[in-house]
Amino acid sequence: MIAEGVETEEQHTFLRLLRCDEGQGYLFAKPAPADTFESILHACPQRKQDRVLASPHSELNIARMAVNK
């Protein structure tokens, strides 16, 4: 199960309690143009790609936050 539109830590915590470990939304990153997103993906290690979007503190999401500042 993948949650869409996760915007708060409270929502993220609730979803984790429901065993939903994957999600996307403003909590993790703002929308980015395709070329920016591709650059972010290439800058991050290729490990655990299926889990990296689940954590707002993942390497990918930290990189996204830096781009979106």
Side-chain angles (χ1 to χ4, degrees):
M1 176 182 342
I2 300 173
E4 293 186 24
V6 182
E7 296 183 5
T8 66
E9 284 289 347
E10 292 80 16
Q11 290 172 332
H12 185 240
T13 300
F14 179 70
L15 291 164
R16 300 281 306 230
L17 289 171
L18 296 174
R19 300 204 180 274
C20 178
D21 294 328
E22 309 223 6
Q24 65 84 31
Y26 281 108
L27 177 63
F28 306 107
K30 294 178 185 174
D35 58 336
T36 302
F37 183 73
E38 186 175 345
S39 297
I40 293 167
L41 284 178
H42 289 293
C44 294
Q46 294 293 323
R47 58 195 167 145
K48 297 184 183 177
Q49 289 257 337
D50 60 330
R51 299 267 180 212
V52 78
L53 296 177
S55 171
H57 305 295
S58 70
E59 293 169 357
L60 177 59
N61 288 314
I62 290 169
R64 283 184 182 163
M65 286 186 269
V67 169
N68 288 323
K69 283 187 177 183

